[in-house]
């Protein structure tokens, strides 16, 4: 049976569309839409390609094309890395260019170094200081352990570094911008370059120049030559430049004879002689001893000294006392010392002064300095006899005279001779004030009483010449009489009731230094604190200045190489206590003055105030401070011996009628005032209105 073959027939297009259920015109629309989409995509692609080609033509794609929002303003990693490489390359090129052009200059010519000249208040020349104390030595003449001590203390990586410390320079630059000190961080090479080729100016420009010179010197000079130069140019204090001069200044021997312990101390003072010369103060001694020990330990850590060798050096190598040049004999050395301390308190370092070129105009009046010295010598000659009375041996006198209206120090007596007795007795602490401190207790009690009551800013209706009994809770006390009689008990009691903190605040506000204050215990009120003669004379001006205090100063003007040095303006007065309290205490002190020195010659109504130690004091000092509107002068007498750390007793000094020496300072004060400032009687309206 034959099967019939069926051949499917191709339907017309329209019929096929009908079989799918979609009209033919809809398919045509879809096809048209697809073509449009294709064309749009192609157009966008062409636009993107054009934008890409245009973007490629931009030197820097920023803000970034094809990004939106914050991404548009975020640089690409290519841009960031490119800018970094560009800056690094530019800086490297600049560094190489500057380094290539920098030439190592000739070393400083020490012969051209200028002296520092000090002048009296009247403008006449007092003294010139500034000869260079330096003697170069070969590195072979410096013991290796001294070299190791210096390297361990200053730059342990000296033989391995490139001559600079970038972090140290950066830290110094930041400190300069902040107006702070720029200490630390420099390598030995940098310090040598600064000492030898550059100035000591603390500026960014000088630091940058130091950087390039240090790199060049380190590359062109052997390390041994650099170390030798550093040791010969460094400042060790005591007017000593270089290790040889320092060795003589501190130990009286050449550098080749130094031992490791002495070498460690000299390495310690390189950090700053003002802070580490152990002879200058107890605080300096403590710092120097700590750093000396650390340097020895540091040498063990760096491998330049064995632990066994280190164990040999347990006793601190005490240096000899400093010696002043003969040009500073007599009182001149003490005057220079006080002027320099004032300059250092205003930011001029000892190294700056040693660099020379300064003109220093002081407040010291020559006639008053001579008169004060004459008064001291006169009383010593008349009342002390060490050859016959052993108790008169080792007696020291310190004195200072200050102008109350502005705080100028016009005269001091620092000791017998600045080149023989090195401690400045006028400006040193360590001598208890005893009863001379009581006026500040009295003033604190009055201030406490006056708190909450109405007071006058510049005056009071109370008669300042009459004793002032203390009101409740101290009504039974009469500090006026106790002050005149040198009675301790009321002051101990009143100090407890007022509060010793309050007493200290009044004393410090008046001008005594915080670091001279004793511990706050019952005896504090009767003078266990140890202010200097300069500070007590200054603090007593408060009682003649209606309660205002002025910081003492000794320099009126400074120039360096003809240019005025800033920051040396006169101190401004400040309120230390009420004018009422100052007048009342001043009245009591005037009575003390009359009982102590009697009327001055030809001045039966001498307007003087005084604080003095008396027979009731059991301390190792004798004081007299007399203040008038013209001058405030303090005189201290005490006994000290170089090999004895504490003061010697004053018992027997000046004979049995001297009240353990307390009768002698008033005699010095009286002789001085008769010579330089015979005071005038007060006007009828009383001392509080006197200018």
């Amino acid at each position: 049976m034959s099967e019939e073959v069926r051949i499917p027939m191709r339907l017309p297009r329209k019929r096929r569309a009908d079989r799918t259920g979609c009209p033919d015109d809809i398919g045509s629309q879809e096809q048209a839409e697809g073509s449009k989409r294709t064309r749009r995509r192609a157009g966008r692609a062409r636009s993107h390609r054009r934008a890409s080609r245009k973007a490629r033509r931009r030197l820097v794609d920023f803000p970034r094309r094809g990004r939106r929002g914050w991404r548009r303003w975020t640089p690409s990693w290519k841009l960031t890395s490119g800018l970094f490489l560009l800056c690094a390359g530019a800086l490297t090129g600049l560094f190489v260019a500057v380094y290539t052009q920098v030439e190592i200059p000739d070393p400083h010519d020490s012969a051209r170094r200028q002296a520092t000249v000090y002048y009296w208040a009247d403008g006449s020349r007092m003294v010139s200081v500034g000869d260079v104390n330096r003697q170069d030595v070969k590195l072979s003449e410096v013991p290796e352990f001294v070299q190791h001590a210096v390297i361990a203390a200053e730059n342990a990586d000296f033989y391995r570094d490139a001559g600079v410390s970038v972090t140290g320079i950066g830290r110094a630059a930041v400190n300069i911008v902040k107006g702070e000190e720029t200490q630390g961080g420099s390598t030995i090479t940098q310090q040598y370059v600064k000492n030898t080729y550059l100035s000591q100016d603390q500026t960014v420009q000088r630091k940058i120049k130091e950087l390039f010179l240090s790199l060049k010197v380190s590359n062109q000079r052997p390390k041994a030559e650099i170390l030798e130069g550093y040791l010969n140019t460094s400042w060790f204090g005591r007017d000593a430049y270089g290790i040889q001069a320092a060795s003589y200044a501190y130990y009286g021997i050449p550098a080749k004879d130094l031992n490791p312990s002495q070498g460690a101390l000299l390495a310690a003072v390189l950090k700053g002689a003002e802070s580490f010369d152990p002879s200058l103060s107890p605080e300096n001694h403590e710092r120097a001893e700590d750093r000396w020990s650390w340097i020895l330990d540091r040498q063990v850590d760096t491998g330049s000294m064995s632990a066994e060798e280190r164990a040999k050096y347990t006793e601190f190598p005490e240096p000899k006392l400093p010696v002043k040049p003969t040009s500073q004999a007599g009182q001149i050395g003490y005057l220079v010392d006080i002027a320099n301390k004032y300059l250092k308190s205003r930011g001029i370092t000892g190294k700056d002064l040693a660099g020379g070129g300064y003109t220093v105009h002081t407040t010291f009046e020559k006639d008053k300095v001579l008169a004060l010295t004459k008064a001291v010598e006169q009383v010593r000659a008349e009342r002390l006899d060490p050859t016959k009375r052993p108790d008169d041996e080792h007696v020291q006198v310190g004195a200072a005279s200050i102008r109350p209206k502005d705080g100028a120090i016009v005269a001091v007596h620092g000791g017998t001779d600045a080149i023989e007795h090195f401690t400045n007795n006028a400006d040193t602490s360590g001598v208890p004030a005893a009863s001379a401190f009581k006026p500040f207790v009295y003033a604190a009690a009055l201030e406490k009483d006056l708190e909450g009551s109405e007071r006058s800013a510049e005056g009071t209706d109370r008669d300042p010449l009459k004793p002032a009994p203390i009101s409740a809770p101290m009504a039974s006390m009469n500090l006026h009489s106790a002050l005149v009689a040198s009675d301790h008990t009321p002051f101990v009691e009143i100090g407890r009731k007022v509060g010793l903190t309050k007493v200290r605040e009044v004393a410090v506000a008046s001008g005594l230094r915080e670091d001279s204050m004793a511990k706050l215990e019952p005896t504090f009120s009767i003078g266990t604190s140890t202010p200097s003669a300069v500070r007590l004379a200054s603090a007593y001006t408060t009682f003649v200045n209606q309660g205002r205090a002025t910081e003492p100063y000794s320099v009126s003007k400074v120039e360096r190489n003809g240019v005025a040095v800033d920051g040396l303006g006169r101190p401004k007065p400040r309120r230390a206590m009420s004018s009422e309290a100052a007048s009342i205490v001043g009245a009591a002190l005037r009575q003390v003055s009359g009982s102590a020195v009697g009327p001055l010659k030809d001045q039966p109504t001498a307007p003087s105030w005084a604080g003095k130690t008396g027979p009731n004091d059991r301390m190792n000092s004798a004081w007299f401070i007399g203040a008038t509107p013209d001058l405030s002068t303090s005189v201290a007498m005490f006994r000290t011996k170089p090999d004895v750390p504490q003061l010697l007793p004053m018992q027997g000094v000046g004979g049995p009628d001297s009240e353990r020496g307390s009768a002698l300072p008033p005699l010095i004060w009286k002789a001085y005032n008769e010579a330089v400032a015979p005071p005038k009687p007060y006007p009828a309206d009383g001392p509080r209105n006197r200018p």
Side-chain angles (χ1 to χ4, degrees):
M1 179 178 178
S2 61
E3 294 185 0
E4 186 177 335
V5 177
R6 295 182 180 181
I7 300 173
M9 296 180 67
R10 184 179 181 87
L11 296 175
R13 179 174 308 211
K14 188 174 183 307
R15 295 291 298 274
R16 288 202 305 270
D18 291 342
R19 291 177 65 179
T20 60
C22 296
D24 188 60
D25 58 344
I26 294 177
S28 300
Q29 290 176 1
E30 288 181 349
Q31 186 175 15
E33 289 295 332
S35 298
K36 289 179 181 179
R37 286 195 295 271
T38 301
R39 287 194 298 271
R40 284 197 295 267
R41 284 196 296 269
R44 285 196 296 269
R46 286 192 298 271
S47 298
H48 181 70
R49 286 194 297 272
R50 285 195 298 268
S52 298
R53 286 194 297 271
K54 189 175 181 180
R56 284 196 295 271
R57 289 196 297 269
R58 294 176 65 193
L59 183 62
V60 178
D61 184 20
F62 191 83
R64 299 174 69 185
R65 291 183 179 273
R67 298 290 189 273
R68 295 189 179 187
W70 62 269
R71 292 182 178 87
R72 179 174 170 80
W73 301 98
T74 303
S76 66
W77 68 270
K78 290 182 179 179
L79 177 61
T80 303
S81 58
L83 289 174
F84 174 78
L85 292 174
L86 179 63
C87 292
L91 289 175
T92 301
L94 178 63
F95 185 90
V96 172
V98 174
Y99 178 84
T100 303
Q101 293 179 5
V102 166
E103 297 290 341
I104 300 177
D106 293 332
H108 291 315
D109 183 0
S110 60
R112 293 198 300 265
R113 179 176 173 270
Q114 299 182 52
T116 291
V117 183
Y118 298 80
Y119 291 87
W120 295 101
D122 63 3
S124 60
R125 186 179 175 120
M126 182 169 69
V127 67
S128 176
V129 178
D131 292 335
V132 179
N133 180 19
R134 173 178 163 186
Q135 181 182 354
D136 290 352
V137 292
K138 297 292 185 183
L139 189 62
S140 58
E141 299 179 56
V142 181
E144 285 192 3
F145 47 74
V146 176
Q147 301 176 36
H148 294 154
V150 171
I151 292 172
E154 296 292 307
N155 182 189
D157 295 327
F158 169 67
Y159 282 107
R160 298 186 298 273
D161 64 31
V164 300
S165 169
V166 177
T167 57
I169 291 177
R171 184 167 57 250
V174 171
N175 288 343
I176 290 172
V177 172
K178 291 181 178 179
E180 299 175 356
E181 295 184 4
T182 59
Q183 297 177 3
S186 295
T187 64
I188 283 177
T189 304
Q190 287 175 257
Q191 295 180 62
Y192 164 67
V193 165
K194 182 173 64 175
N195 294 341
T196 308
Y197 305 111
L198 302 175
S199 70
Q200 301 298 321
D201 297 337
Q202 301 292 351
T203 63
V204 174
Q205 292 86 344
R206 203 270 297 156
K207 275 288 181 184
I208 293 174
K209 192 171 183 180
E210 176 188 306
L211 169 66
F212 285 100
L213 275 176
S214 298
L215 287 170
K216 202 146 198 174
V217 167
S218 183
N219 287 333
Q220 297 184 5
R221 304 281 173 83
K223 288 287 187 178
E225 181 180 334
I226 294 172
L227 181 60
E228 178 182 299
Y230 173 69
L231 290 173
N232 281 322
T233 59
S234 292
W235 167 251
F236 288 83
R238 301 194 179 190
D239 295 324
Y241 280 94
I243 188 68
Q244 183 80 334
S247 184
Y248 279 113
Y250 283 84
Y251 293 108
I253 57 176
K256 64 182 180 62
D257 293 338
L258 290 168
N259 63 41
S261 182
Q262 295 167 335
L265 176 62
L266 293 184
V269 299
L270 278 171
K271 189 173 178 66
E274 290 89 352
S275 299
F276 292 92
D277 184 341
S279 67
L280 298 182
S281 70
E283 294 78 16
N284 271 25
H285 195 285
E286 183 177 353
R287 283 191 292 265
E289 192 164 354
D290 288 343
R291 187 162 177 81
W292 162 80
S293 180
W294 175 83
I295 290 173
L296 290 172
D297 293 338
R298 178 72 171 156
Q299 291 182 75
V300 176
D301 295 339
T302 57
S304 59
M305 179 182 285
S306 67
E308 292 76 16
E309 178 74 9
R310 166 67 180 92
K312 298 177 183 178
Y313 308 112
T314 58
E315 186 175 349
F316 184 70
E318 294 287 352
K320 68 190 186 84
L321 292 174
V323 178
K324 292 185 180 295
T326 54
S327 62
Q328 298 183 41
Q331 298 302 307
I332 299 298
Y334 303 127
L335 299 175
V336 170
D337 176 66
I338 289 178
N340 287 348
K341 282 184 178 179
Y342 182 78
L343 293 176
K344 291 172 187 177
S345 73
R346 295 301 186 271
I348 299 176
T349 68
K351 190 173 183 179
D352 292 334
L353 290 170
Y358 287 94
T359 299
V360 181
H361 294 266
T362 74
T363 60
F364 306 126
E365 298 180 19
K366 188 174 183 179
D367 62 330
K368 290 182 173 61
V369 172
L370 294 175
L372 188 55
T373 298
K374 182 178 179 180
V376 172
E377 292 175 347
Q378 175 184 325
V379 172
R380 290 184 70 108
E382 293 175 354
R383 302 298 298 267
L384 300 179
D385 190 352
T387 60
K388 296 181 180 179
R389 196 164 38 233
D391 292 332
D392 290 352
E393 294 180 351
H394 311 298
V395 172
Q396 296 292 333
V397 176
S401 189
I402 289 178
R403 192 165 57 222
K405 69 178 182 180
D406 64 354
I409 305 173
V410 297
V412 298
H413 180 84
T416 53
D417 193 326
I419 64 175
E420 296 177 359
H421 177 74
F422 307 114
T423 301
N424 190 339
N425 295 341
D427 197 32
T428 185
S429 60
V431 182
S435 290
F437 186 78
K438 292 177 182 176
F440 305 107
V441 183
Y442 193 176
L446 291 169
E447 290 288 273
K448 189 76 171 179
D449 272 357
L450 292 169
E451 286 179 0
S453 64
E454 184 177 356
R455 68 180 70 174
S456 168
E458 294 296 332
T460 177
D461 292 334
R462 181 180 295 172
D463 186 349
L465 301 182
K466 293 182 179 179
I470 305 303
S471 59
M474 297 158 286
S476 62
M477 302 291 184
N478 189 330
L479 294 187
H480 184 112
S481 300
L483 184 64
V484 175
S486 189
D487 188 356
H488 291 341
T489 304
F491 284 92
V492 173
E493 180 65 16
I494 212 70
R496 183 183 65 81
K497 290 185 175 181
V498 169
L500 299 181
T501 299
K502 176 68 174 178
V503 174
R504 180 177 60 189
E505 289 174 353
V506 170
V508 172
S510 299
L512 302 188
R513 290 191 181 278
E514 182 78 38
D515 56 14
S516 71
M517 295 291 101
K519 293 182 179 179
L520 296 182
E521 51 191 16
T523 55
F524 178 79
S525 295
I526 54 175
T528 53
S529 295
T530 58
S532 68
V534 168
R535 285 288 163 174
L536 264 179
S538 175
Y540 266 62
T541 66
T542 307
F543 303 122
V544 295
N545 281 335
Q546 294 82 45
R548 292 186 297 268
T550 303
E551 190 74 6
Y553 73 101
S554 56
V555 176
S556 58
K557 183 176 68 173
V558 176
E559 295 178 343
R560 189 175 196 187
N561 299 324
V563 179
V565 177
D566 295 330
L568 293 166
R570 293 185 180 182
K572 295 181 179 180
R574 62 184 183 278
R575 174 65 60 185
M577 64 184 68
S578 67
S579 58
E580 184 176 8
S583 295
I584 294 171
V585 176
L589 289 174
R590 188 180 180 193
Q591 191 170 346
V592 174
S593 173
S595 64
V597 300
L600 296 180
K601 180 177 62 177
D602 300 326
Q603 294 290 336
T605 56
S608 56
W609 284 260
K612 65 184 291 289
T613 52
N616 292 333
D617 286 316
R618 293 293 184 270
M619 305 179 114
N620 299 329
S621 61
W623 284 89
F624 188 87
I625 304 96
T628 75
D630 298 313
L631 286 176
S632 177
T633 305
S634 64
V635 182
M637 183 174 285
F638 54 96
R639 297 179 69 212
T640 182
K641 196 174 181 181
D643 55 346
V644 179
Q646 67 273 11
L647 296 180
L648 301 177
M650 291 288 290
Q651 186 73 34
V653 171
D657 60 343
S658 73
E659 300 177 356
R660 295 189 301 281
S662 63
L664 305 185
L667 298 178
I668 295 173
W669 182 89
K670 181 179 180 180
Y672 168 69
N673 274 268
E674 286 180 337
V676 300
K680 300 176 182 179
Y682 276 123
D685 58 352
R688 63 184 179 277
N689 294 323
R690 185 182 177 96

